[in-house]
Amino acid sequence: MAHAQDGDTKCGLCHICPTFLSVCCFIWLAVIAAVIIVVVIVILRRKKETDKAKE
């Protein structure tokens, strides 16, 4: 039976993945995906604004 002090800690959410900063890896994946989506939306919006300004 693994204990937290053994260094083999599993997350409390899925009980599958090891934790990074005590947060499930699936949560980190969702946060990274959300950040990428926001960045793409901002880039597309700025591109659209610059295209309108050129006309």
Side-chain angles (χ1 to χ4, degrees), residues 4-49:
Q5 62 197 22
D6 294 338
D8 187 27
T9 58
K10 302 292 181 184
C11 77
L13 185 65
C14 68
H15 303 291
I16 298 172
C17 65
T19 61
F20 177 68
L21 298 175
S22 299
V23 178
C24 179
C25 291
F26 291 113
I27 300 298
W28 283 115
L29 182 64
V31 168
I32 291 169
V35 168
I36 290 172
I37 289 170
V38 167
V39 168
V40 168
I41 289 172
V42 168
I43 289 172
L44 291 175
R45 186 173 291 169
R46 285 188 180 176
K47 183 178 178 183
K48 187 185 292 185
E49 288 175 0

